[in-house]
């Protein structure tokens, strides 16, 4: 009899644990299971931030269900002075491998993320995504009024992209220190595909830097049907700066354009209206 009672108590405890555990997991987002046919629904800033560097979430599927405002001064935001790294996959120091990368699907669904603010002096990959991995995909997303200050390897959408970015658009400013590199209005380093995207991001860099572009800083992948309209300002003795791409090393650029200005100081070289 005692064994039967103990079994019943244990079974009830397991059922309660399963019930409350499932409820807690479901409450992390506004719905969905994270699977391809049923992506997690992101409806609040907290939902977005919760993805972070969680290894169990970086390979899941997400749908942005609402416009989000990441203004550090708003209630529910990250708090002043904003983020000190990327919002998703943010622990990517340049010389550390492997570093966290987003390997799932992120469907912007035409929604906008506004006022992303990042301030850091630590070398890392900076942007909404620190890194998008080779199987990662980001679709139909707008990022408005981004403000990033850091030592380089930065883009409004991603510090590094090895996957695919489709119909994504960004506006704002990126400021870099002396001896910074690999900075683009949309992506810092691109080794994947970017299609139908645009950036109206002003990029300002200090002295002795290299690889600054209106859309991509360092490009080794494919860019098609894209445009950049932001201005590029680089300090003395810098090189590889272009209106669309800072430096194209074995990559392809198709049916794309740049209309922003590229302005440089004394001792600068390898500058171009389209590609540095």
């Amino acid at each position: 009899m005692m064994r039967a009672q103990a079994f019943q108590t244990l079974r009830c405890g397991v059922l309660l644990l399963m019930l409350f555990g499932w409820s807690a997991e479901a409450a992390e987002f506004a719905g969905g299971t994270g699977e391809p046919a049923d992506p997690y629904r992101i409806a609040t800033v907290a939902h977005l931030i919760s993805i972070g560097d969680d290894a169990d979430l970086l390979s899941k599927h997400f749908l942005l269900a609402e416009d989000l405002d990441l203004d550090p001064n708003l209630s529910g935001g990250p708090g002043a002075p904003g983020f000190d790294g990327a919002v998703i996959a943010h622990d990517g120091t340049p010389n550390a491998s492997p570093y966290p990368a987003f390997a799932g699907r992120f469907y912007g669904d035409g929604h906008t993320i506004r006022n992303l603010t990042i301030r850091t002096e630590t070398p890392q990959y900076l942007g909404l995504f620190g890194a998008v991995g080779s199987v990662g995909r980001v679709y139909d997303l707008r990022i408005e009024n981004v403000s990033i200050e850091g030592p380089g390897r930065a883009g409004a959408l991603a510090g590094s992209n090895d996957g695919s970015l489709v119909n994504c658009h960004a506006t704002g400013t990126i400021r870099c220190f002396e001896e910074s590199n690999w900075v683009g209005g949309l992506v810092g380093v691109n080794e994947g595909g970017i299609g139908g995207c645009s950036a109206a991001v002003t990029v300002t860099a200090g002295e002795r830097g290299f690889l600054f572009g209106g859309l991509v800083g360092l490009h080794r992948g494919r860019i098609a049907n894209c445009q950049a309209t932001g201005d590029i300002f680089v300090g003395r003795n810098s090189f590889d700066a272009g209106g669309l791409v800072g430096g194209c090393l074995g990559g392809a650029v198709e049916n794309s354009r740049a209309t922003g200005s590229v302005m440089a100081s004394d001792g600068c070289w390898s500058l171009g209206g389209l590609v540095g």
Side-chain angles (χ1 to χ4, degrees):
M1 183 66 177
M2 290 180 63
R3 291 181 61 186
Q5 288 177 339
F7 175 76
Q8 290 291 342
T9 301
L10 177 62
R11 185 173 65 177
C12 289
V14 170
L15 289 173
L16 286 171
L17 179 62
M18 292 174 61
L19 176 62
F20 285 110
W22 176 87
S23 298
E25 182 177 351
E28 288 180 357
F29 298 99
T33 61
E35 298 304 312
D38 187 26
Y40 285 128
R41 294 176 63 83
I42 299 172
T44 68
V45 172
H47 293 159
L48 183 70
I49 294 174
S50 71
I51 303 171
D53 284 329
D54 189 332
D56 294 329
L57 293 178
L58 290 179
S59 60
K60 297 297 184 179
H61 291 63
F62 300 89
L63 173 69
L64 187 60
E66 302 284 348
D67 292 353
L68 300 181
D69 195 334
L70 301 182
D71 188 332
N73 298 311
L74 290 179
S75 176
F83 296 90
D84 61 0
V87 180
I88 300 170
H90 59 72
D91 193 25
T93 54
N95 297 319
S97 181
Y99 49 80
F102 180 72
R105 301 288 187 274
F106 192 101
Y107 301 98
D109 202 32
H111 287 292
T112 301
I113 295 176
R114 296 185 175 88
N115 300 316
L116 168 62
T117 301
I118 299 175
R119 301 284 184 272
T120 183
E121 296 183 0
T122 304
Q124 56 186 301
Y125 293 102
L126 304 176
L128 178 67
F129 296 85
V132 176
S134 60
V135 296
R137 305 287 185 269
V138 182
Y139 303 100
D140 306 317
L141 178 63
R142 300 190 68 86
I143 303 175
E144 292 184 357
N145 197 35
V146 66
S147 178
I148 298 176
E149 290 186 10
R153 293 170 171 84
L157 182 62
S160 172
N161 172 54
D162 288 352
S164 294
L165 312 177
V166 179
N167 194 29
C168 295
H169 310 278
T171 68
T173 60
I174 299 177
R175 293 181 176 273
C176 302
F177 310 145
E178 294 183 356
E179 300 182 351
S180 294
N181 52 53
W182 300 358
V183 180
L186 190 74
V187 175
V189 180
N190 178 59
E191 300 194 62
I194 301 177
C197 296
S198 69
V201 177
T202 299
V203 175
T204 304
E207 299 179 0
R208 301 183 303 281
F210 60 94
L211 291 167
F212 305 101
L215 189 79
V216 171
L218 171 61
H219 175 53
R220 292 189 179 122
R222 183 183 179 214
I223 294 172
N225 306 312
C226 294
Q227 66 173 342
T229 59
D231 295 330
I232 310 295
F233 301 86
V234 295
R236 292 184 301 175
N237 300 314
S238 296
F239 60 95
D240 288 352
L244 188 79
V245 171
C248 184
L249 305 180
V253 178
E254 305 169 16
N255 194 33
S256 299
R257 63 176 184 159
T259 60
S261 298
V262 178
M263 286 164 275
S265 301
D266 295 340
C268 293
W269 56 281
S270 191
L271 312 175
L274 188 73
V275 176

